[in-house]
Amino acid sequence: MVADVEVSGGHWIGGERVASAATFDDVSPIDEAVIARISRGGATEAHAAVSAAAASSPAWASTPPTERARLLHRVADIVEDRLERLAIVETIDNGALLRSHLRGVMPRVAHNFRFFADYLVNDLHHPDFETRGHHNHVSWDPSGVAVLITPWNAPLMLATWKVAPALAAGCTVVLKPAEWTPLTASLLADITKEAGIPDGVFNVVQGLGEEVGDALTGDPRVSRISFTGSVPTARLIARSAAANLTPCSFELGGKSPFIVFADADMDSAVANAVEQYDNAGQVCLAGVRLLVEDAVLDEFVERFLARAAAVRQGDPRDLATDVGPQISREHFERVDGFVRRAVTAGAEALLGGGPNEQLGGLYYRPTLLAGAAPGAEILTDEVFGPVLTVQSFSTEDEAIAMANGTEFGLAGVLFTGDRARAERVSAQLVAGTMWVNCFFVRDLRAPFGGSRHSGVGREGGTWSFDFYCDVKNTCTNVDRWTP
Ligand code: ADP
């Protein structure tokens, strides 16, 4: 039994905790114990949160940028002070590694706020230029109320990728965290209050997506919707947003290729390939389709299996653990269904291939499947678990065709020692992010997002900032001023 995490399960609306009569259970993936009871919001709470955000919008929009930036830095300070608490609560709630939360994820949460605070003050350029005696001035006007709908695989990290630029841009926010991981959004609400963010500027509505979603995304007072999640949900949100033509930013799934050419540094390629099991494979960016040049296929697989054998699966609170559990029973069954169907259809599990029976619960063994037939669902559909496939290719063109052969276009990972080849192949892959001889290096100045069904728009730096603003050009005939 996981200890009670003692985090409020209420909504955060207008600077106050608001409870709903109905609740749902928040279950820890570590042992499937109930750790909190969460308010189950609906249209009433959604409406109240948008009202609070709309009411506080004019004052926040006209707060000087330096003051907004100061408050966001204050949020980052408190996140840093509370890093361990945020890390352990997130681990208990979503089952991702405590080690990663402590060392990487929570420091990045603070960085998200610092980055956009600094961007607002230092990097936002207001270009002025002349056109035949007319003066053009570009300004970034806050658009109003941003609804942010976020997923469970990296809850606070992905939420703050949206919250920080939205607040920096002068929008007020309604955050709807995933129902499987509601807790750190609740902690963030307390932090914003302590930091001095005015009431109503940041709001959280808890609840099940299908019950609260429409009321948020179809509200005509909402000026922007940013969503990270699945393709079917994105379609529902787009439909709901269409009534008001509300601009949407979507960061969706992936089925990214991980290409290894024979001339690659094999140690590095193998080490990075095994890293695709991080977060128990619940990473949209993961390079899950290993495409290996046939001359090195046997060597690669042998070395991959040797390295993967050292991966330790277990309780994510143990700092020695490498791979934790799946997020929920429902998701676990879904992952297992993919693997079973693949094996029935003729694929061979070179590694794993089923639940970790020693650990029980939601622990699914890191799995490597070979021999899937071209077009098989295991090669085209997003599994979102610790399941990789391996295929071989013989020419560069074949590798490119295989890499591009899904409806997604989120990321691509490429290992080669040949610089010209790296440039040629990268240029031809459909992907929002290409990693060449590396993986997961991410700078907030870079654009992030996907093509095709992997998304609409980009996040990061100027792309996030522009999205939350109504960019305006003011063109003035300067000859017409009264002297
Ligand atoms: P996943 O399959 O990864 O759980 P979802 O797309 O279902 O992804 O969920 C991502 C986020 O979208 C969650 O916060 C969820 O509550 C929310 N969501 C689900 N359905 C809807 C909906 N109809 N409208 C708005 N948000 C929704």
Side-chain angles (χ1 to χ4, degrees):
M1 170 76 188
V2 169
D4 183 351
V5 289
E6 291 178 6
V7 177
S8 168
H11 314 286
W12 178 255
I13 299 174
E16 283 176 13
R17 289 283 166 204
V18 176
S20 298
T23 61
F24 63 96
D25 289 343
D26 182 23
V27 171
S28 174
I30 298 174
D31 60 0
E32 298 179 84
V34 174
I35 47 172
R37 296 202 198 287
I38 308 297
S39 280
R40 184 165 169 172
T44 306
E45 290 83 354
H47 190 270
V50 175
S51 297
S56 60
S57 175
W60 183 246
S62 58
T63 299
T66 48
E67 174 62 4
R68 291 206 300 265
R70 187 187 70 77
L71 291 169
L72 294 184
H73 275 296
R74 185 74 197 114
V75 170
D77 292 341
I78 303 174
V79 167
E80 283 163 356
D81 288 349
R82 223 156 281 172
L83 203 116
E84 284 183 18
R85 166 104 170 121
L86 290 166
I88 188 69
V89 168
E90 194 85 296
T91 290
I92 292 171
D93 206 12
N94 89 331
L97 301 186
L98 180 59
R99 186 179 73 204
S100 310
H101 285 151
L102 288 170
R103 293 183 196 160
V105 175
M106 293 307 161
R108 285 297 287 237
V109 166
H111 175 68
N112 289 342
F113 285 99
R114 296 203 190 287
F115 175 90
F116 283 104
D118 290 343
Y119 183 90
L120 170 66
V121 175
N122 301 327
D123 297 326
L124 191 61
H125 299 298
H126 295 262
D128 283 22
F129 47 93
E130 304 301 319
T131 311
R132 288 178 268 109
H134 296 66
H135 183 83
N136 292 274
H137 174 74
V138 180
S139 56
W140 277 257
D141 298 351
S143 67
V145 175
V147 162
L148 312 177
I149 300 176
T150 52
W152 46 262
N153 60 324
L156 194 59
M157 173 72 190
L158 296 180
T160 55
W161 264 9
K162 300 181 192 301
V163 172
L167 293 180
C171 284
T172 54
V173 163
V174 179
L175 171 64
K176 154 66 185 86
E179 49 268 45
W180 286 342
T181 54
L183 298 182
T184 46
S186 194
L187 294 177
L188 182 63
D190 296 332
I191 290 172
T192 60
K193 176 82 175 174
E194 282 176 54
I197 303 273
D199 292 350
V201 169
F202 177 71
N203 305 276
V204 178
V205 177
Q206 303 283 10
L208 312 186
E210 63 274 24
E211 292 181 359
V212 78
D214 246 8
L216 290 173
T217 54
D219 191 311
R221 297 170 297 171
V222 169
S223 64
R224 295 292 185 274
I225 298 166
S226 181
F227 167 73
T228 299
S230 65
V231 173
T233 302
R235 288 204 177 92
L236 293 175
I237 293 174
R239 215 167 282 156
S240 175
N244 305 302
L245 294 177
T246 310
C248 293
S249 162
F250 290 149
E251 202 271 276
L252 310 175
K255 189 75 179 176
S256 300
F258 187 111
I259 308 172
V260 182
F261 283 96
D263 58 15
D265 174 334
M266 211 46 68
D267 285 340
S268 173
V270 167
N272 279 275
V274 174
E275 264 186 41
Q276 308 306 308
Y277 292 130
D278 281 3
N279 209 10
Q282 301 165 123
V283 178
C284 57
L285 291 162
V288 290
R289 292 183 297 134
L290 307 179
L291 308 179
V292 184
E293 189 165 353
D294 45 18
V296 289
L297 179 68
D298 291 347
E299 180 197 352
F300 176 86
V301 169
E302 192 181 312
R303 291 174 67 172
F304 178 95
L305 293 176
R307 193 170 175 109
V311 166
R312 279 200 265 190
Q313 187 161 35
D315 188 321
R317 291 168 297 185
D318 181 342
L319 297 182
T321 295
D322 299 311
V323 173
Q326 299 297 288
I327 183 72
S328 69
R329 177 61 54 187
E330 180 188 334
H331 186 64
F332 179 93
E333 298 297 347
R334 187 176 170 276
V335 169
D336 193 41
F338 270 111
V339 173
R340 282 171 192 277
R341 289 191 298 277
V343 170
T344 304
E348 182 191 359
L350 303 180
L351 178 73
N356 185 325
E357 266 134 22
Q358 266 173 319
L359 294 173
L362 301 181
Y363 294 85
Y364 203 88
R365 285 194 289 156
T367 294
L368 178 66
L369 298 171
E377 67 164 14
I378 198 71
L379 300 175
T380 56
D381 293 16
E382 185 174 45
V383 177
F384 221 64
V387 179
L388 309 182
T389 56
V390 61
Q391 299 165 272
S392 68
F393 64 86
S394 54
T395 65
E396 200 174 290
D397 285 346
E398 195 187 355
I400 292 165
M402 289 167 84
N404 284 337
T406 73
E407 63 186 18
F408 295 107
L410 190 57
V413 190
L414 172 59
F415 278 80
T416 175
D418 180 339
R419 184 173 179 169
R421 189 206 300 277
E423 288 169 5
R424 259 191 331 264
V425 175
S426 296
Q428 290 179 77
L429 292 201
V430 181
T433 300
M434 278 301 306
W435 278 293
V436 179
N437 295 326
C438 63
F439 179 62
F440 226 75
V441 178
R442 200 124 153 75
D443 188 316
L444 262 182
R445 288 170 296 188
F448 173 81
S451 303
R452 297 178 174 162
H453 287 185
S454 287
V456 174
R458 296 289 182 268
E459 299 189 273
T462 184
W463 293 271
S464 289
F465 207 90
D466 286 0
F467 174 72
Y468 293 108
C469 291
D470 286 325
V471 182
K472 177 196 283 169
N473 185 49
T474 304
C475 181
T476 305
N477 184 344
V478 289
D479 290 341
R480 292 293 177 271
W481 300 130
T482 42

